[in-house]
Amino acid sequence: MKIISEFKDFIAKGNVMDLAVGVIIGGAFGGIVKSLVDDVITPAILNPALKAANVADLALLKTDGGILYGKFLAAVIGFLVISFVIFLMVKSLNKIKKTEEEIPTPSGPTQEELLTQIRDLLKK
């Protein structure tokens, strides 16, 4: 019974729930990033640079010995593009957060100033 209680406490913790939500959202977001990379960014890069219609055409390249170097190149290009897109997204989010943090909050008296005021009032 103790182990069931401990397991229940573990599952109910905020960190576990946050992680579960993050994994689910990450899976859904992965589809968006994959579509952006596969359907928008990669064709824009490959068409002018390599005159290839898509990464799948590049993946068909192989040597006479059967080494699929095109498939490897396609994986490397996909990784670099996805990494760059995620970098840009994180950079944008950090910029938004930084802008929100820069909004000045009205500052009141410090704790020392308040204590000094209380002391002065008590002296009177």
Coordinates of all heavy atoms in Angstrom, one line a residue, residues 9 12 21 29 79 91 95 105 108 116 124:
D9 N 1.6 10.0 -5.2 CA 2.2 11.3 -4.9 C 3.2 11.8 -6.0 O 3.2 12.9 -6.4 CB 3.0 11.3 -3.6 CG 2.1 11.1 -2.4 OD1 0.9 11.4 -2.5 OD2 2.6 10.7 -1.3
A12 N 1.2 12.9 -9.1 CA 0.4 14.2 -8.8 C 1.4 15.4 -8.7 O 0.9 16.5 -8.7 CB -0.4 14.0 -7.5
V21 N 2.7 17.2 -20.3 CA 2.1 18.2 -21.2 C 3.2 18.6 -22.2 O 2.9 18.8 -23.4 CB 1.6 19.4 -20.4 CG1 1.3 20.6 -21.3 CG2 0.4 19.0 -19.6
F29 N 3.9 19.9 -31.9 CA 4.7 20.9 -32.5 C 5.7 20.4 -33.5 O 6.1 21.0 -34.5 CB 5.4 21.7 -31.4 CG 6.2 22.9 -31.8 CD1 5.5 24.0 -32.3 CD2 7.6 22.9 -31.8 CE1 6.2 25.1 -32.7 CE2 8.3 24.0 -32.2 CZ 7.6 25.1 -32.7
F79 N 18.7 17.7 -40.6 CA 19.1 18.1 -39.2 C 19.5 19.6 -39.2 O 19.0 20.3 -38.2 CB 20.2 17.2 -38.8 CG 20.8 17.6 -37.5 CD1 20.2 17.4 -36.3 CD2 22.0 18.3 -37.5 CE1 20.8 17.8 -35.1 CE2 22.6 18.8 -36.3 CZ 22.0 18.5 -35.1
K91 N 15.2 32.0 -30.3 CA 15.7 33.3 -30.3 C 14.6 34.3 -30.3 O 14.6 35.3 -29.6 CB 16.6 33.6 -31.5 CG 17.3 34.9 -31.5 CD 18.3 35.0 -32.6 CE 19.0 36.3 -32.5 NZ 20.1 36.4 -33.5
K95 N 13.5 36.9 -27.3 CA 13.4 38.4 -27.5 C 12.1 38.9 -27.0 O 12.0 39.9 -26.4 CB 13.5 38.6 -29.0 CG 13.6 40.1 -29.3 CD 13.8 40.3 -30.8 CE 13.9 41.8 -31.1 NZ 14.1 42.0 -32.6
T105 N 8.7 48.2 -13.7 CA 7.7 48.1 -12.6 C 7.9 49.2 -11.7 O 9.0 49.6 -11.3 CB 7.8 46.7 -11.9 OG1 9.1 46.6 -11.3 CG2 7.6 45.6 -12.8
G108 N 8.8 50.8 -5.2 CA 8.4 51.5 -3.9 C 9.6 51.6 -3.0 O 10.8 51.3 -3.4
T116 N 13.2 52.3 8.5 CA 13.7 53.6 9.0 C 12.5 54.5 9.2 O 12.4 55.2 10.3 CB 14.6 54.3 7.9 OG1 15.7 53.4 7.7 CG2 15.1 55.6 8.4
K124 N 8.7 59.5 17.6 CA 7.8 60.7 17.9 C 6.8 60.4 18.9 O 6.3 60.0 19.6 CB 7.2 61.1 16.6 CG 8.1 61.6 15.6 CD 7.4 62.1 14.3 CE 8.4 62.6 13.3 NZ 7.7 63.0 12.1

